[in-house]
Amino acid sequence: MIKVNEYFEGNVKSLGLSNSQGNFTVGVLLKGTYEFNTSTKEWMTLTSGNWELELPGEEIKTYGIWQSCEIPSGISFKVNALEDSSYLCRYE
């Protein structure tokens, strides 16, 4: 089954899928800044656009296309989409 998610008044949307390789979402973000919470460890890969990620206790890092970031479980983090962007997220 495909799970449909919508956040921030429709500015962030994703489709979720679970299969034999794990749990995944693919999504899009319109230009803007968004704060997310994690309940599991995540691997986020930017597939188009560019953004800055702000993880607790770390400096803000800029990511370009096909760059990935490991995001720990149980935190809040910010994504500043510098332009409309898309991503792939794998959950552990």
Side-chain angles (χ1 to χ4, degrees):
M1 180 162 73
I2 297 173
K3 182 177 178 184
V4 178
N5 303 297
E6 186 172 317
Y7 309 98
F8 305 102
E9 299 175 353
N11 290 329
V12 178
K13 296 183 181 186
S14 69
L15 300 174
L17 175 71
S18 295
N19 64 22
S20 63
Q21 297 165 342
N23 299 312
F24 302 88
T25 57
V26 293
V28 293
L29 303 93
L30 296 179
K31 181 179 178 180
T33 300
Y34 309 98
E35 186 167 348
F36 296 95
N37 300 305
T38 61
S39 59
T40 63
K41 184 161 86 171
E42 302 178 9
W43 289 92
M44 291 185 72
T45 302
L46 183 67
T47 56
S48 73
N50 66 64
W51 59 21
E52 298 171 330
L53 292 180
E54 184 178 349
L55 299 175
E58 295 185 21
E59 290 186 26
I60 296 172
K61 295 180 184 174
T62 302
Y63 289 81
I65 191 168
W66 301 119
Q67 289 185 304
S68 296
C69 177
E70 178 182 343
I71 301 177
S73 174
I75 67 162
S76 293
F77 69 100
K78 290 183 182 175
V79 175
N80 180 21
L82 302 173
E83 63 181 304
D84 296 350
S85 302
S86 63
Y87 66 90
L88 168 67
C89 190
R90 179 175 58 92
Y91 302 89
E92 290 186 1

